[in-house]
Amino acid sequence: MTNEAIVELLELTTKLLELHGENDFKIRNFQNAAFNLDKTTADLTTVPLAELSLLPGVGKSMASKIDEIRRTGTLKDLNDLLAQTPEGILDMFRIKGIGPKKIRVIWKELGITDTQQLLLACENGEIAKLKGFGEKTQETIHTNLLFLQSNSSKLRMDVAQVLAEVLCEALEKQFPTQITGEVRQKAEIVDLIQLVTAAENSAEVQKFLNTLEFVQQDEKASTPFIWRGKFLDRSIPVEVRISRPQTFINQVFIRSSSPEHLTQPIAHSTLLKTTLKEPHDTEEAIYAELGLPYLSPELRNGTDELSPESLQRLPDLITWEALKGTVHNHSTWSDGKHTLEQMARAAADLGLQYLGIADHSKSATYANGLSEERIYQQHQEIDQLNERFRAEGLDFHIFKGIESDILGDGSLDYDTDVLKSFDFVVASVHSNLKMTEEKAMQRLIRAIENPYTTIIGHPTGRLLLSRPGYPVDERKLIDACAANGVVLELNASPYRLDADWRWIPYALEKGVRISINPDAHHIEGYQDMHYGVAVARKGGLTRQMTFNTLTQSEMQAYLAQRKIG
């Protein structure tokens, strides 16, 4: 049991209470507890019951329910609600644009209890006829439901990585094993978890895999040298290829590279032919045989990575070690979990030289966005912390930023006098996401043209496997950034990875810097920059064109030069 698991159970209970029309007071109790505990730094599994009741949003009654969860792993209130709920209804909670109250109407009025019935009702026009719905709501439900269904057997890279590692660690106890495929190539969306293992007797691997309790074999799809199946609680397919020990590296290389990468002509041969010709001890040796430098798996995309220009850039590609600071982060001033000082010291502990704090702006009321008065108070705290760091001899600096909402007309969330008080501004769209491309571009370009905008944040608004984002003309957006000296964000959260790495070559061509921003809401969120670096490398991003490779003094000079008034 973890904090996250406890909060998830409280959130699910809240949704089910709304679904079943329970009284507002009870709903608010669970809602407030989940909201506040999601931000707490206390370890909910060990806090004494008496102290638990003193946490914000908890109280004695809710403390006893949390204690029940951590003792039993479940909650009677939740189990009672689940017993009254058709299983298919729970899947509807994943559909964007539809909450528990609307799901209740659909269930009670039309007797719909699963997503397939809901899809059919949308296509027949039944949803639009319900009171409080209409054609637009029906269209939103239909679009988002189709999006979810099309991605039902896929995983984000972070989730797929964890599952692949669990299986790899189990296999490694008996056989040499390597994660391959989309996971090793750092694909942002994974369709298939693949591994290669080595054994003289493939039947032994098959037998071992079938002893594992967390995977299940698809016997019809499997062959003597390929075990196919899935994780018991996931629909994503899993494939384990069994190689002879002497060809293990060859198979790992082939399964960690795109077909296009393997078949590009090189000196009257290809990487595939070279790999199949004889056993190799290392992947580096395969490249060396053709006179090529080693390309790590995330670069083997089959685009232009083997061109002379790309090969020349290899030593300059962005790495984690090259990052000097982190910008676009949140603290308890808005919806973050850790205080400003905790966020700063954690960044310093990682060896970074600066923290760009960019809490939410005032329009983001749902995220405790900062009023003008609170901005002034936060800036005072930043000044005090920076002075304290200097007194301690800590070479670390906090830059004053804001994640300003881009409003419906493309303007930013504060007037000029407030905007000029920041060192930098991340301008992002958070509301009214259902836009035509024309509307989205008007909104984004006006924000980019605002002289106070430093970075354009998560430019499509996508949430991978959950929300496709609004349509964007990437070339026009990058052209606008180039014309206005605005940095393009690569939001490193594995939920976003936005801008898409495929935009990077055009951004580099136009001289637009990319900022690998974790959008961290807690100190662990800094680690998301690993995902950002991985996909940035896929796009060929260099150290020189990465915004947050600037040193502290370089960043101060850059921001001072851009600052107006």
Side-chain angles (χ1 to χ4, degrees):
M1 189 56 62
T2 62
N3 277 25
E4 290 76 13
I6 291 170
V7 170
E8 281 179 13
L9 290 178
L10 295 177
E11 287 175 341
L12 179 57
T13 305
T14 303
K15 289 176 183 177
L16 289 171
L17 288 169
E18 287 190 76
L19 176 75
H20 289 282
E22 291 285 348
N23 71 75
D24 289 343
F25 179 75
K26 189 171 185 179
I27 293 169
R28 277 197 303 273
N29 274 352
F30 276 93
Q31 201 169 45
N32 290 339
F35 177 80
N36 284 282
L37 294 178
D38 188 43
K39 298 195 295 181
T40 188
T41 56
D43 183 351
L44 300 178
T45 64
T46 59
V47 175
L49 184 58
E51 293 179 27
L52 196 58
S53 65
L54 300 177
L55 293 175
V58 180
K60 289 184 179 179
S61 174
M62 191 56 62
S64 66
K65 295 184 186 299
I66 296 165
D67 190 48
E68 180 187 346
I69 292 172
R70 62 189 188 180
R71 283 187 293 101
T72 67
T74 187
L75 184 63
K76 184 179 183 302
D77 288 3
L78 176 58
N79 292 337
D80 291 344
L81 290 163
L82 286 170
Q84 305 168 45
T85 309
E87 189 175 340
I89 293 285
L90 299 179
D91 292 332
M92 295 186 196
F93 288 148
R94 298 173 58 230
I95 305 169
K96 294 288 180 184
I98 178 173
K101 290 180 180 177
K102 275 191 163 53
I103 293 172
R104 175 181 171 81
V105 173
I106 292 168
W107 174 25
K108 297 299 182 182
E109 296 287 328
L110 298 177
I112 290 172
T113 58
D114 63 47
T115 54
Q116 199 55 45
Q117 293 172 358
L118 178 58
L119 183 64
L120 187 61
C122 287
E123 291 170 350
N124 292 338
E126 296 175 60
I127 301 300
K129 297 173 186 175
L130 293 170
K131 186 178 179 180
F133 283 72
E135 293 286 346
K136 284 188 176 180
T137 300
Q138 178 174 272
E139 181 186 350
T140 299
I141 294 171
H142 186 243
T143 301
N144 291 340
L145 185 50
L146 286 174
F147 183 79
L148 276 177
Q149 289 188 346
S150 68
N151 291 291
S152 61
S153 62
K154 302 175 183 179
L155 293 176
R156 296 189 319 271
M157 68 188 303
D158 58 321
V159 180
Q161 179 75 40
V162 170
L163 292 179
E165 286 174 355
V166 167
L167 184 53
C168 187
E169 286 171 11
L171 278 164
E172 280 181 324
K173 293 174 182 176
Q174 299 284 336
F175 314 97
T177 305
Q178 172 67 61
I179 297 168
T180 59
E182 294 167 318
V183 173
R184 191 166 181 234
Q185 289 181 269
K186 306 300 182 185
E188 65 269 38
I189 300 295
V190 175
D191 298 277
L192 171 66
I193 292 175
Q194 292 178 295
L195 296 90
V196 171
T197 193
E200 291 288 359
N201 186 340
S202 64
E204 289 182 4
V205 179
Q206 300 262 6
K207 183 178 179 181
F208 176 78
L209 281 164
N210 289 330
T211 66
L212 300 177
E213 296 180 352
F214 54 86
V215 290
Q216 182 176 37
Q217 184 178 23
D218 182 341
E219 293 185 22
K220 289 184 179 179
S222 298
T223 71
F225 296 97
I226 306 174
W227 183 98
R228 292 189 173 98
K230 68 182 187 69
F231 284 86
L232 286 181
D233 59 344
R234 302 281 181 172
S235 56
I236 189 169
V238 178
E239 180 180 282
V240 179
R241 289 181 174 265
I242 306 161
S243 164
R244 297 189 68 185
Q246 55 266 43
T247 58
F248 176 62
I249 295 297
N250 298 49
Q251 283 301 310
V252 166
F253 178 75
I254 290 171
R255 303 301 163 190
S256 301
S257 310
S258 71
E260 295 80 8
H261 180 75
L262 292 169
T263 56
Q264 288 184 54
I266 308 159
H268 308 294
S269 186
T270 66
L271 284 162
L272 182 60
K273 288 179 183 176
T274 302
T275 307
L276 294 175
K277 187 172 60 176
E278 60 185 359
H280 292 82
D281 294 331
T282 65
E283 292 178 285
E284 286 84 352
I286 297 170
Y287 285 109
E289 193 165 325
L290 289 173
L292 295 171
Y294 175 74
L295 274 74
S296 49
E298 72 274 11
L299 302 175
R300 306 172 194 168
N301 302 307
T303 52
D304 69 340
E305 68 269 15
L306 294 179
S307 70
E309 297 79 14
S310 295
L311 292 175
Q312 193 173 5
R313 281 199 305 267
L314 268 180
D316 298 323
L317 290 182
I318 185 62
T319 62
W320 170 273
E321 292 75 20
L323 301 177
K324 303 302 181 189
T326 172
V327 294
H328 190 174
N329 304 282
H330 299 264
S331 72
T332 50
W333 278 96
S334 65
D335 61 342
K337 183 178 284 190
H338 291 101
T339 66
L340 188 51
E341 182 172 2
Q342 287 171 326
M343 292 294 286
R345 292 194 183 277
D349 288 344
L350 288 174
L352 300 176
Q353 299 176 9
Y354 54 86
L355 166 71
I357 198 69
D359 278 307
H360 285 284
S361 64
K362 63 181 180 181
S363 289
T365 53
Y366 58 88
N368 193 28
L370 273 65
S371 65
E372 287 83 353
E373 182 183 0
R374 293 180 66 228
I375 288 168
Y376 175 72
Q377 293 167 354
Q378 187 189 58
H379 287 183
Q380 284 185 310
E381 182 182 354
I382 291 172
D383 289 338
Q384 291 165 3
L385 284 170
N386 282 334
E387 183 60 37
R388 190 186 307 164
F389 296 154
R390 283 191 292 272
E392 294 174 4
L394 179 63
D395 187 16
F396 189 85
H397 187 80
I398 304 173
F399 289 104
K400 300 169 183 173
I402 195 75
E403 184 178 19
S404 173
D405 269 33
I406 299 174
L407 305 180
D409 63 355
S411 60
L412 300 186
D413 205 7
Y414 300 105
D415 62 28
T416 298
D417 287 341
V418 178
L419 290 171
K420 69 172 61 171
S421 71
F422 299 108
D423 294 322
F424 71 98
V425 173
V426 179
S428 306
V429 172
H430 289 112
S431 60
N432 301 320
L433 303 182
K434 193 175 180 184
M435 299 180 282
T436 63
E437 183 178 302
E438 182 183 10
K439 174 63 177 174
M441 292 310 298
Q442 287 174 351
R443 195 171 170 187
L444 288 166
I445 288 176
R446 185 178 176 196
I448 290 168
E449 290 174 345
N450 190 304
Y452 293 98
T453 297
T454 317
I455 302 170
I456 193 77
H458 44 73
T460 74
R462 74 182 186 183
L463 292 175
L464 294 170
L465 301 182
S466 178
R467 182 176 74 203
Y470 39 83
V472 171
D473 184 323
E474 62 197 61
R475 288 181 173 264
K476 284 184 180 178
L477 183 135
I478 290 169
D479 288 345
C481 287
N484 293 276
V486 169
V487 175
L488 181 66
E489 174 175 86
L490 196 168
N491 189 294
S493 166
Y495 288 84
R496 292 187 183 273
L497 295 172
D498 181 18
D500 192 291
W501 63 267
R502 296 164 187 84
W503 296 19
I504 291 175
Y506 188 69
L508 299 185
E509 180 186 327
K510 292 297 179 179
V512 173
R513 288 180 184 266
I514 307 291
S515 188
I516 299 176
N517 295 342
D519 199 355
H521 285 67
H522 44 75
I523 58 179
E524 295 84 2
Y526 292 145
Q527 298 301 322
D528 286 351
M529 288 193 289
H530 283 289
Y531 302 118
V533 167
V535 297
R537 287 172 61 84
K538 292 174 80 69
L541 182 61
T542 60
R543 294 179 177 90
Q544 293 83 356
M545 292 304 292
T546 304
F547 186 54
N548 48 319
T549 59
L550 294 177
T551 64
Q552 183 189 133
S553 59
E554 288 170 341
M555 182 63 76
Q556 284 176 321
Y558 178 94
L559 295 177
Q561 182 269 329
R562 274 194 60 87
K563 196 162 183 177
I564 301 167

